[in-house]
Amino acid sequence: MTEREASEGHGGVGQIDEDAIIQEPTGIAALGHAALSLLAAGRELYSVFVKTLYYTVRGVRQPGAVLRQMYEIGNRSLVFLCVVMGFIGMILVYQGGVQTLRVVPDLSLLGATFLEILIRDLAASIGALMLATRVGAGTAAEIGSMVVTEQVDALRMCAADPVDYLIKPRFIASIVMTTVLVAIAAAVAFSTGMWTGYIFFDINPRTFMNMSMVDVGDLTVGLTKCVAYGAAIPVVSGYCGLSTFGGSEGVGWATTRAVVNSSLAVIILNFFISGAGYLVFGG
């Protein structure tokens, strides 16, 4: 092999490596692409949320649509949520009583403390996470199936906005039924917690039902979380359903993203609402 051929051979290899580098972005470029994709998704999600608020006030009235969604979200989630919160109440009171006895021998304020935490945070947050797994997945799967079967395109061809027809009824129903379900689930959790305190720690039910630590701030923060979670779950899951592509496999991915993103939205909202509640009403 001559020197010229060798140099041309090395030049060819160098050219191939350069093309490979151009086709495959570096780690920083991949990170930037992911950040831009996240910003674009956030902008689209914000657009869906704004449209939902607009159509809630000035959208097309669909007789019975909100009631059907209230039944789907509320009645079909009631047993599941009550069972989960019932066991959560027993676990928290038992563990709280065991840990308290290691410090002080008095459990007279166990019920009051548990009720305050339940109203301020636990009932709404845990209940919303459970609803995100059921309601969020169902909403994304239903809307995603309509997208891949071109039913959503048919709505657009009829000059109908899918946000108005598909997300708005779920938005209204979710806000109402999330608040109702959380209230019922909180009562179930407190009842099972009271039963646990009586069985394991011999706490009188009248002593356990102490509402002295619950104030207006706790009720306000808890109600705000119910409304915020109820609004976030259908919007996030509806956006995941509308962004479905790729047939039946895409519906599965949309369902997974709906559950993950709805749960993440609940946690983020919990952080900000809890911080705001602490600043306004105190600890």
Side-chain angles (χ1 to χ4, degrees), residues 46-56 161 163-164 168:
Y46 175 75
S47 176
V48 172
F49 176 66
V50 172
K51 286 183 178 180
T52 303
L53 292 179
Y54 172 79
Y55 287 126
T56 299
D161 195 326
V163 176
D164 188 13
K168 183 195 71 178

Side-chain angles (χ1 to χ4, degrees), residues 206-232:
R206 293 185 178 180
T207 303
F208 193 88
M209 295 180 63
N210 185 356
M211 301 182 63
S212 60
M213 299 182 66
V214 179
D215 55 16
V216 177
D218 298 325
L219 294 174
T220 303
V221 172
L223 183 60
T224 303
K225 289 181 178 180
C226 291
V227 175
Y229 299 159

